[in-house]
Amino acid sequence: GYKLYAVIAPAIAAQYGHDKLGKVVTAIKKLGFDEVVEAALGADIVAYHEAEELAEKGFLTSSCCPAFVELIKSKFPTLTDNISTSLSPAAALVEAMKENGAEGKFVFIGPCTAKKAEYGADGPAAGYFDCVLGFDELQALIDSKEIDIDSLEEDALNHATFYGRNFANGGGVAGAVAQALKERGHEDFALKPIVCNGLEACNVALRKASRGLPEGNFIEGMACTGGCIGGASCLRHGNKDRDEVLKYGHAAQLQTITEAVEGSKTVR
């Protein structure tokens, strides 16, 4: 009696390979989902807004990793005002979709166990999702229905840009913000990103920033080494994961973040 949406994180390309992703989309629909949309489009939206906020404030930390945000709030409270005010990508996308009139149940599928707390009933982004699944749980559902992914036809995903899709890799957020700064007319803003892979690196960067000695003006914080491709709910962790996400990114039809953000106004 309702429409069921799957919002898939871009790290999914590292789980099955970018060339098989269209078949995975078909498999997800065979599980009962009516629509499959890319959280990477939400990443484009986030980068677009973070670029403007960074240019205004001069110093900012990313907000897409809930574990990183919680680290700031618990250990470095003086930096709380510097956390990007943007929602995390998947929530930003669902917000846009609901503004466009989308109605139904929304399920996030990704690599991150921390998203269960972020999007849960008592979480900081409660109300955007009705359920959160890890990639391991998605595969368990596919196995339970005896779906042979390799035998399926491909379905298309054409919502996001290279920049949004590359959020899954360490350095991807900073790269997207750099592109968005250019597109939003802030070419004169000298972006000096600090890319932190893993909580130890995050701690070091935040400690320096809290003492007024930041090495840059934008801290991209990822609790997992390598970025989201290192998430606890991933099916695998390998040396080729980063390359698979890059290939997925380069296959994007949309070329600019501005184009993706404009397109988000019609996704529902």
Side-chain angles (χ1 to χ4, degrees), residues 103-122:
E103 296 180 353
K105 303 291 186 180
F106 294 83
V107 178
F108 175 70
I109 303 174
C112 181
T113 52
K115 289 294 182 186
K116 291 180 180 287
E118 180 186 12
Y119 296 144
D122 298 321

Side-chain angles (χ1 to χ4, degrees), residues 179-252:
Q179 174 65 22
L181 282 167
K182 295 177 183 177
E183 293 185 24
R184 301 210 66 171
H186 298 297
E187 296 92 341
D188 294 336
F189 185 88
L191 176 65
K192 298 177 181 177
I194 306 167
V195 177
C196 303
N197 288 312
L199 286 177
E200 183 176 348
C202 292
N203 265 302
V204 172
L206 291 171
R207 190 175 299 112
K208 291 179 179 178
S210 67
R211 294 172 179 172
L213 300 170
E215 295 179 345
N217 52 23
F218 179 73
I219 301 178
E220 175 194 312
M222 295 291 183
C224 295
T225 302
C228 298
I229 58 174
S233 289
C234 287
L235 298 168
R236 69 179 197 183
H237 299 92
N239 295 330
K240 296 182 179 180
D241 290 355
R242 181 178 178 84
D243 290 339
E244 289 295 339
V245 171
L246 287 173
K247 291 175 184 176
Y248 166 53
H250 286 303

Side-chain angles (χ1 to χ4, degrees), residues 1 16 20 57 65 69 71 79-80 98 107 125-126 131 143 179 190 193 196 203 210 226 233 235:
Y16 298 96
K20 193 187 287 190
K57 293 182 176 180
C65 174
V69 171
L71 175 65
L79 296 177
T80 300
K98 289 182 177 180
V107 178
C131 181
D143 290 343
Q179 174 65 22
C196 303
N203 265 302
S210 67
S233 289
L235 298 168

Side-chain angles (χ1 to χ4, degrees), residues 20-201:
K20 193 187 287 190
L21 193 52
K23 295 184 177 184
V24 176
V25 172
T26 301
I28 293 172
K29 289 185 176 180
K30 280 186 170 291
L31 292 174
F33 289 89
D34 297 291
E35 297 288 344
V36 180
V37 292
E38 296 183 84
L41 174 54
D44 284 318
I45 295 172
V46 167
Y48 192 76
H49 291 292
E50 279 189 343
E52 192 68 24
E53 188 175 12
L54 175 59
E56 178 183 338
K57 293 182 176 180
F59 176 76
L60 203 66
T61 75
S62 61
S63 60
C64 55
C65 174
F68 175 65
V69 171
E70 183 59 31
L71 175 65
I72 297 174
K73 292 180 177 179
S74 61
K75 286 193 173 185
F76 304 97
T78 59
L79 296 177
T80 300
D81 290 342
N82 298 108
I83 301 173
S84 166
T85 58
S86 295
L87 292 167
S88 55
L93 173 58
V94 171
E95 180 179 64
M97 292 175 65
K98 289 182 177 180
E99 288 176 354
N100 298 338
E103 296 180 353
K105 303 291 186 180
F106 294 83
V107 178
F108 175 70
I109 303 174
C112 181
T113 52
K115 289 294 182 186
K116 291 180 180 287
E118 180 186 12
Y119 296 144
D122 298 321
Y128 290 95
F129 287 94
D130 299 278
C131 181
V132 175
L133 297 176
F135 291 144
D136 49 356
E137 293 169 315
L138 169 64
Q139 186 58 49
L141 287 172
I142 291 172
D143 290 343
S144 74
K145 296 296 184 181
E146 299 183 349
I147 297 172
D148 178 14
I149 293 176
D150 290 327
S151 68
L152 301 177
E153 295 183 358
E154 294 187 25
D155 205 334
L157 285 177
N158 297 312
H159 304 108
T161 69
F162 165 84
Y163 307 100
R165 290 178 174 184
N166 200 40
F167 256 55
N169 281 328
V173 179
V177 170
Q179 174 65 22
L181 282 167
K182 295 177 183 177
E183 293 185 24
R184 301 210 66 171
H186 298 297
E187 296 92 341
D188 294 336
F189 185 88
L191 176 65
K192 298 177 181 177
I194 306 167
V195 177
C196 303
N197 288 312
L199 286 177
E200 183 176 348

